[in-house]
């Protein structure tokens, strides 16, 4: 199975000309593009091979919309052509105070709406400092709440293991650390949600220099890439490394 490459552009690029450049550079099989909402339609119309993802959804999806200023529903994301939704990214947990309770609702509504959630979990520096068992325990607790509203129906779920200390820091986890966490995530989910079809991604300072090391790990099904995915020079290198594995 080819490894999935999810490009989380975050709040970039800032001009439409750069969006065009980046889309052209990133449009390949096995790539999922997560642009900011205003660019979705533009990217959808340009991309021939890549699939589309949103970076967030609202935790309710009322049939006729609702009075939730500034929010975007799963139905809207689907109507714009998105297949996936990033949920619970650590930047949203940190800057927007997203709680596991909110994230649980988002995962549930995304699945109900037919979007594939890319649920982000991961421990901070403090927890990692206390050792691997603590990190496994922390992520296990996140998963327990984040998946607590799931009905036990067969569906597809992606979990991105993104240690907070590795995001945007250039200080990536080691492939071994990522693999241990990926295994722990699989174990927790297969016990509590046996009908979910699961992929586990690694994210946190992935770049062209370190991706091959992670890609050799059988437990890692792909990558959630931030900084390097918004760089039209760098991301094609990641694509070609993955395609040539
Ligand atoms: P990064 O971000 O690749 O810049 O570390 C990853 C992410 O936030 O998903």
């Amino acid at each position: 199975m080819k490894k999935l490459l999810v490009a989380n552009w975050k709040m970039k690029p800032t001009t439409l000309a750069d969006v065009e450049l980046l889309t052209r550079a990133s449009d390949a099989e096995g790539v999922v593009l997560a642009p900011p909402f205003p660019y979705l339609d533009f990217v959808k119309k340009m991309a021939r091979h890549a699939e589309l993802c949103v970076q967030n959804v609202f935790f309710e999806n009322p049939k006729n919309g609702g009075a939730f200023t500034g929010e975007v529903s799963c139905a809207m994301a689907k109507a714009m052509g998105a297949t996936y939704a990033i949920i619970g990214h650590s930047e949203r947990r940190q800057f927007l105070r997203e709680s596991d309770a909110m994230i649980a609702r988002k995962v549930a509504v995304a699945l109900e709406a037919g979007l594939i959630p890319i649920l982000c979990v991961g421990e901070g520096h403090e927890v990692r400092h206390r050792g691997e068992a603590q990190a496994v325990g922390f992520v296990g607790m996140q998963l327990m709440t984040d998946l607590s509203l799931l009905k036990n129906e067969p569906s597809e779920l992606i979990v991105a293991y993104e240690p907070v200390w590795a995001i945007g820091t250039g200080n990536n986890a080691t492939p071994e650390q990522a693999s241990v966490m990926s295994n722990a995530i699989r174990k927790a989910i297969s016990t509590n949600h046996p009908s979910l079809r699961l992929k586990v991604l690694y994210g946190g300072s992935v770049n062209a220099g370190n991706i091959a090391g992670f890609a050799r790990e059988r437990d890692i099904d792909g990558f959630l890439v931030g900084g390097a995915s918004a760089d039209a020079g760098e991301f094609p290198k990641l694509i070609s490394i993955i395609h040539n594995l």
Side-chain angles (χ1 to χ4, degrees):
M1 185 187 69
K2 280 273 181 241
K3 311 266 178 181
L4 196 67
L5 263 181
V6 182
N8 174 14
W9 291 356
K10 309 194 179 188
M11 204 173 73
K12 299 176 194 169
T14 53
T15 69
L16 211 48
D18 284 342
V19 174
E20 183 170 349
L21 200 77
L22 190 56
T23 306
R24 282 194 204 291
S26 314
D27 184 22
E29 296 292 339
V31 169
V32 175
L33 298 176
F37 284 120
Y39 302 142
L40 277 175
D41 188 46
F42 185 82
V43 172
K44 176 72 189 165
K45 285 179 177 144
M46 271 189 73
R48 294 278 168 275
H49 307 287
E51 294 181 285
L52 209 60
C53 180
V54 287
Q55 296 178 13
N56 177 42
V57 286
F58 189 55
F59 52 63
E60 284 187 29
N61 188 24
K63 196 162 169 282
N64 299 314
F68 302 107
T69 302
E71 292 298 325
V72 173
S73 71
C74 291
M76 293 171 187
K78 275 215 80 160
M80 296 311 286
T83 306
Y84 302 87
I86 295 174
I87 295 176
H89 191 279
S90 67
E91 286 152 13
R92 297 193 61 85
R93 292 178 188 257
Q94 182 185 349
F95 301 124
L96 292 139
R97 303 258 185 278
E98 271 192 21
S99 65
D100 286 302
M102 283 182 213
I103 291 163
R105 292 175 68 184
K106 292 184 181 204
V107 172
V109 291
L111 282 173
E112 266 166 38
L115 289 167
I116 302 170
I118 301 178
L119 168 65
C120 301
V121 293
E123 81 287 355
H125 182 261
E126 285 269 287
V127 172
R128 170 58 62 173
H129 204 65
R130 284 186 241 132
E132 196 142 74
Q134 298 283 333
V136 167
F138 182 88
V139 166
M141 294 296 284
Q142 284 184 320
L143 286 173
M144 188 125 70
T145 313
D146 296 349
L147 301 179
S148 61
L149 300 179
L150 293 197
K151 310 204 173 78
N152 210 8
E153 284 166 6
S155 40
E156 209 173 327
L157 174 77
I158 299 181
V159 174
Y161 169 60
E162 296 209 306
V164 179
W165 47 271
I167 296 176
T169 58
N171 182 22
N172 56 277
T174 64
E176 295 71 29
Q177 285 172 325
S179 175
V180 167
M181 295 304 287
S182 164
N183 259 310
I185 289 166
R186 276 176 213 285
K187 231 178 249 163
I189 291 180
S190 68
T191 306
N192 297 320
H193 304 279
S195 56
L196 285 178
R197 291 188 305 279
L198 177 69
K199 281 197 179 86
V200 182
L201 313 183
Y202 168 72
S205 296
V206 172
N207 59 39
N210 61 26
I211 195 168
F214 288 104
R216 280 193 282 273
E217 299 290 336
R218 281 188 46 229
D219 302 316
I220 298 172
D221 299 317
F223 303 93
L224 180 52
V225 186
S229 79
D231 179 335
E234 177 89 353
F235 198 60
K237 294 185 200 161
L238 275 72
I239 296 173
S240 83
I241 292 168
I242 292 300
H243 281 188
N244 291 314
L245 279 177

